[in-house]
Amino acid sequence: MINLKLIETNYEEFNRKLKAKKVDDGVLKNLLDKYNECKKEKAKLEELQAFQNANSKQLALLASKKEDTSALKNSLNENKQNITNAQERVRMLEEEVENIASSLPNLIADVVPIGEDEEDNVEIKKVLTPPTFDFSPKDHYDLGVNLGWLDFTRGVKVAKSRFVALRGEGARLERALYNYMIDFNQKRGFEFVNTPYIVNTTTMYGTGQLPKFKEDLFKIEDEELYLIPTSEVSVTNLYADEIINKNDLPIKMTCYSPCFRKEAGSAGKDTKGIIRQHQFGKVELVSISDAQNSDKVFNEMLDCASDLLTSLGLAHRHLMLCSGDLGFSAGKTVDLEVWLPGQNKYREISSVSNCYDFQARRAKIRYKDENGKNQLAHTLNGSSLAVGRTLVAIMENYQRKDGSIAIPEVLRKYM
């Protein structure tokens, strides 16, 4: 959630940065009006309470002197009712402010380029050179079906479209990948954690999935519980409503989990293959940092994900996302796109984001600074990597002319 106290003094900057994320300027104006109205009602409430406190003491003094207190009693009773009414007005206004503010995305960092969509993202660099083939490379769908690794027919039968069953060497390669990824990340200083795949409403609110993205989530019937869309949700919220000792920062964690997404709005996109599924595995990086060092931690996470791809021999590129393509909670994001020969293009395989204090304000994640004062932490997350898409990349980049798949050297002991 954005810092409401800064809206008054930085309105134009807030408006510019939110418009860059395609937020109508009328929304922020409405928020500011409600915020100011709430402040005025709070000031009135404080005056009423001050009157009640002062005159309650006066009433006691008059009573001790056996003087007439009837007029003052009537005044205090009337004021008490006014306090009740004012408290209700403040409560309703605070709720309105909260509802509007919780629907607003994070502000963009100054380094983020202004743009409309993915076409305006800025390439930072390319890493490794895509392979060349002396035959026409196939896409992962044909390779996987021919090898018996990807069973779409039975995956759909037991669930619905956008589900797949992995079999044989394909299933073993997936397991090898997430074991290798976790080991790689641990060596880079990330603690391995296992967290619930089902979380509550408060947890979903903390990282920004609720209320805005409710339609994308799988909710458990008759429960205020949801299947996680990413382990970023459960891992980040491990520290919700806590005050961390600054000496313990940064906290760096890695986690493997299945992820569940309805993919609302993705009709017709990537319907062939396993690029976009309702259930997929992902290894995640999550860090909690103090404000001064979060960009340093961001670069460490980005290097970790990029070096992981390099260790697998997969050509990829770094893209700085423009304002119009930036996620709801992110203030800054660099995507890693891996080269897919079967599609003859780069496709997203990781996103590393600094959310700054946006999620921490929602989830109440704080730390004590060197002066003993509570400060909002900065939260960061990054895919390291989407396991299914890494499987796709290995299949397409390591395919042989006869349709078999070579296994990258670093994965062989895991197979």
Side-chain angles (χ1 to χ4, degrees):
M1 185 179 293
I2 57 178
N3 187 348
L4 295 177
K5 292 180 181 179
L6 297 178
I7 291 181
E8 296 172 293
T9 55
N10 294 274
Y11 180 80
E12 292 303 323
E13 181 183 4
F14 269 62
N15 198 27
R16 176 180 63 81
K17 289 187 173 182
L18 285 174
K19 284 178 73 174
K21 267 195 166 183
K22 302 179 181 178
V23 175
D24 189 279
D25 54 9
V27 177
L28 189 60
K29 179 65 167 60
N30 184 33
L31 176 60
L32 180 60
D33 290 344
K34 292 293 182 184
Y35 179 71
N36 286 332
E37 185 181 353
C38 188
K39 278 183 61 181
K40 289 178 183 177
E41 290 299 325
K42 282 183 178 179
K44 292 178 184 178
L45 174 59
E46 288 171 2
E47 288 178 5
L48 292 170
Q49 290 170 330
F51 177 89
Q52 194 77 8
N53 292 336
N55 286 280
S56 293
K57 293 177 182 177
Q58 180 66 17
L59 180 67
L61 181 62
L62 292 175
S64 68
K65 294 179 179 180
K66 309 293 186 186
E67 297 182 20
D68 182 19
T69 59
S70 56
L72 187 55
K73 276 185 178 179
N74 290 336
S75 179
L76 284 170
N77 287 336
E78 182 181 345
N79 191 68
K80 189 175 181 180
Q81 183 58 50
N82 290 337
I83 288 174
T84 300
N85 295 339
Q87 286 173 330
E88 179 60 16
R89 287 196 299 274
V90 168
R91 185 197 65 78
M92 292 177 64
L93 283 167
E94 284 181 334
E95 190 174 292
E96 286 187 68
V97 169
E98 174 81 9
N99 288 338
I100 299 170
S102 65
S103 69
L104 291 176
N106 197 1
L107 301 178
I108 62 171
D110 291 335
V111 297
V112 173
I114 304 301
E116 284 295 312
D117 51 36
E118 61 184 17
E119 298 300 321
D120 295 320
N121 293 337
V122 177
E123 183 179 297
I124 300 171
K125 65 177 179 178
K126 286 187 170 77
V127 180
L128 302 183
T129 303
T132 56
F133 300 89
D134 59 2
F135 59 92
S136 179
K138 297 178 180 177
D139 66 25
H140 73 280
Y141 180 93
D142 291 329
L143 290 164
V145 170
N146 292 338
L147 289 167
W149 289 13
L150 304 178
D151 191 338
F152 293 98
T153 301
R154 292 182 176 88
V156 171
K157 179 173 68 174
V158 300
K160 65 174 186 176
S161 62
R162 295 191 188 274
F163 284 91
V164 66
L166 287 174
R167 309 189 67 157
E169 297 301 297
R172 290 184 66 209
L173 180 55
E174 181 192 48
R175 185 177 68 170
L177 278 168
Y178 62 70
N179 281 328
Y180 172 66
M181 291 175 185
I182 292 295
D183 287 349
F184 187 95
N185 295 340
Q186 283 184 294
K187 291 174 183 176
R188 301 295 279 261
F190 292 85
E191 177 194 1
F192 178 41
V193 298
N194 276 327
T195 56
Y197 305 153
I198 296 173
V199 297
N200 58 38
T201 301
T202 302
T203 297
M204 282 290 191
Y205 177 85
T207 39
Q209 279 72 30
L210 288 177
K212 189 170 180 63
F213 301 103
K214 188 174 182 178
E215 298 305 313
D216 284 320
L217 303 173
F218 283 103
K219 187 178 186 298
I220 296 175
E221 188 175 3
D222 299 326
E223 298 275 0
E224 287 304 311
L225 296 170
Y226 297 82
L227 299 178
I228 58 169
T230 165
S231 58
E232 167 205 342
V233 176
S234 47
V235 177
T236 303
N237 278 282
L238 288 177
Y239 290 88
D241 204 19
E242 291 190 21
I243 299 173
I244 307 165
N245 189 314
K246 187 179 179 181
N247 293 333
D248 295 330
L249 298 176
I251 297 169
K252 298 163 65 177
M253 298 167 285
T254 186
C255 181
Y256 167 78
S257 76
C259 306
F260 305 90
R261 299 180 187 178
K262 284 186 177 179
E263 292 291 351
S266 66
K269 296 179 181 177
D270 298 310
T271 55
K272 184 180 180 182
I274 61 171
I275 292 290
R276 196 181 299 272
Q277 297 276 284
H278 290 305
Q279 175 186 313
F280 59 93
K282 183 155 67 77
V283 173
E284 191 78 1
L285 299 173
V286 170
S287 295
I288 298 173
S289 169
D290 62 296
Q292 291 73 29
N293 291 298
S294 67
D295 280 330
K296 176 176 178 283
V297 175
F298 175 87
N299 291 330
E300 290 175 359
M301 294 172 64
L302 183 60
D303 288 345
C304 184
S306 181
D307 292 348
L308 177 54
L309 281 168
T310 300
S311 75
L312 292 167
L314 296 173
H316 58 283
R317 64 176 181 170
H318 294 219
L319 286 181
M320 175 70 79
L321 297 195
C322 73
S323 58
D325 200 29
L326 207 58
F328 179 80
S329 295
K332 174 178 69 175
T333 297
V334 172
D335 271 6
L336 300 180
E337 292 189 341
V338 69
W339 177 255
L340 296 183
Q343 296 190 25
N344 196 38
K345 63 166 59 172
Y346 288 96
R347 293 297 304 267
E348 179 195 341
I349 196 168
S350 174
S351 287
V352 180
S353 299
N354 192 342
C355 299
Y356 299 100
D357 62 6
F358 182 82
Q359 292 178 329
R361 182 172 282 105
R362 299 169 75 104
K364 299 181 178 65
I365 304 173
R366 295 148 292 170
Y367 66 93
K368 282 198 179 295
D369 64 17
E370 54 275 5
N371 299 316
K373 186 178 179 180
N374 291 344
Q375 302 288 354
L376 288 170
H378 284 192
T379 63
L380 305 95
N381 63 80
S383 314
S384 173
L385 305 158
V387 179
R389 293 192 179 194
T390 310
L391 179 68
V392 166
I394 288 174
M395 291 171 68
E396 294 195 9
N397 283 277
Y398 283 87
Q399 63 181 292
R400 300 187 180 108
K401 192 172 184 177
D402 63 0
S404 63
I405 310 292
I407 302 299
E409 183 70 34
V410 294
L411 293 179
R412 291 180 186 176
K413 67 178 182 179
Y414 293 89
M415 294 287 286

